[in-house]
Amino acid sequence: MMRSLRFFDDLAHTLSGHAPMRLGVVYPCSLPALEAAAEVARNNLAQPVLIGPEGQIRQLASTSGVSLAGCIFIDLPTAEDAARHGVRMARDGEVAALMKGSLHSRIFLHELGHHEGGLRTARRMSHVYVLDAPQAPRVLLVSDGAVNIAPDLESRRDIVQNSIDLAHMLGMAQPRVALLSAVEMVNPALPSTLDAAVLCKMAERGQITGAVVDGPLALDNAVSPEAARCKGVVSPVAGQADILVVPDLEAGNILAKQMTFIGQAQAAGIVMGMRVPVILTSRADPVAVRVLSCMVAAVMIRHGYGGTPATCMDQCG
């Protein structure tokens, strides 16, 4: 059954009337990045600070008919310079959130994760997709499909907790977390099932908090009550999962893009575990994904995430 997509509309409603956040857009030298900056400025969601080669950015905007009214420029020649400066601005509270423009993720993530000058916290950074698809039973969070390639057990614990923390900020008081694998039984030949079993025990002992956690679960019995019944899976999460934690980046990336490009999901993506919300979009992501990701970042800031002085324009001046 097709479901009406209202999740992001409801987020927009919660943000209406609030002062816009100051958003650092790092190296916006592509049309989608510039159009997204113009859109969030036009909707009073954010005041974009465009960090990159000003002449190139203005030329692209002019030839494409994109208005950059309300944007601030920080003129820097290279992607590396822009990433370094954007991270410094976030660290010093000059912007409340960061959004990746058209630079390569490797450059951006290197500066974010810099041991001395980056935005690290005690928690490992991880990416969370927020996906609202018409065929899905509810809004689903998928993690991690963009940052951690083959996370070890300690990293997976942080991935789970980061996704739970985001779910709370998005209004899910007690989310159900499914630790995904190919099967729902522990199998020593499948390391993801062993990790899932350990993570469940960690949740029982309070090392993961704020959610109901279960696994291993296959994707079908994580989201479909009928599949769970057919397979005889008895679980407080089976068929009702809000958060899907995948075993590695490849699985998460494929799942999220399948939901977006084939399942017609509305999508947003955010990096957790940083000092500020970080929007890590693919260079191929359309404007809508970038704008919806800004909305998620703005909601996080309204919940006190980050704690930098520049949470919104009335504080930035």
Side-chain angles (χ1 to χ4, degrees):
M1 180 181 294
M2 298 286 285
R3 184 173 56 84
S4 176
L5 303 184
R6 293 196 50 84
F7 179 78
F8 288 106
D9 289 340
D10 292 341
L11 278 194
H13 180 72
T14 67
L15 293 168
S16 62
H18 289 286
M21 63 180 176
R22 183 166 284 184
L23 174 69
V25 186
V26 178
Y27 206 71
C29 297
S30 68
L31 186 55
L34 276 189
E35 288 178 333
E39 183 73 11
V40 298
R42 184 165 53 248
N43 292 334
N44 209 37
L45 178 61
Q47 182 184 39
V49 180
L50 307 182
I51 308 166
E54 182 175 352
Q56 182 180 342
I57 294 168
R58 288 191 183 276
Q59 179 64 31
L60 177 59
S62 176
T63 57
S64 305
V66 176
S67 171
L68 298 179
C71 294
I72 297 170
F73 285 85
I74 304 291
D75 187 17
L76 290 166
T78 69
E80 290 82 0
D81 291 333
R84 191 175 306 114
H85 192 82
V87 167
R88 185 200 63 75
M89 291 183 73
R91 192 174 63 249
D92 293 346
E94 296 174 22
V95 294
L98 287 177
M99 181 166 69
K100 173 178 168 283
S102 57
L103 75 168
H104 197 284
S105 293
R106 175 183 53 80
I107 298 170
F108 192 45
L109 289 170
H110 173 76
E111 294 301 329
L112 289 172
H114 196 282
H115 283 280
E116 294 180 1
L119 298 175
R120 284 175 176 265
T121 66
R123 191 87 58 77
R124 184 173 182 85
M125 68 173 164
S126 61
H127 185 272
V128 185
Y129 281 107
V130 183
L131 298 154
D132 194 11
Q135 295 286 4
R138 64 192 64 82
V139 171
L140 295 172
L141 275 57
V142 174
S143 190
D144 178 343
V147 173
N148 294 284
I149 296 174
D152 58 18
L153 186 61
E154 184 177 359
S155 297
R156 294 196 72 196
R157 190 214 74 86
D158 284 355
I159 288 169
V160 174
Q161 192 64 63
N162 283 341
S163 64
I164 293 168
D165 291 350
L166 179 59
H168 289 169
M169 288 181 274
L170 295 176
M172 304 175 195
Q174 188 76 354
R176 294 179 174 90
V177 180
L179 306 170
L180 295 186
S181 184
V183 297
E184 60 278 354
M185 302 296 287
V186 175
N187 182 341
L190 276 176
S192 60
T193 68
L194 298 175
D195 281 359
V198 175
L199 288 166
C200 288
K201 181 57 69 175
M202 293 174 81
E204 287 181 19
R205 298 293 167 85
Q207 293 171 272
I208 297 170
T209 61
V212 180
V213 180
D214 197 19
L217 290 170
L219 178 62
D220 55 356
N221 51 58
V223 299
S224 167
E226 182 180 356
R229 284 193 298 271
C230 287
K231 291 187 174 182
V233 179
V234 179
S235 160
V237 174
Q240 305 178 80
D242 302 297
I243 299 172
L244 305 176
V245 177
V246 298
D248 56 33
L249 182 145
E250 289 177 311
N253 195 275
I254 292 168
L255 174 58
K257 288 181 177 177
Q258 184 275 334
M259 290 182 66
T260 303
F261 287 93
I262 300 175
Q264 303 302 310
Q266 294 181 344
I270 206 83
V271 174
M272 300 288 292
M274 296 278 95
R275 295 188 191 182
V276 303
V278 175
I279 299 157
L280 182 69
T281 54
S282 167
R283 285 170 290 173
D285 278 337
V287 173
V289 172
R290 300 165 190 265
V291 174
L292 296 180
S293 299
C294 286
M295 288 172 51
V296 172
V299 169
M300 292 170 63
I301 290 167
R302 294 296 162 198
H303 281 81
Y305 186 91
T308 60
T311 54
C312 59
M313 282 299 299
D314 56 1
Q315 292 170 299
C316 296

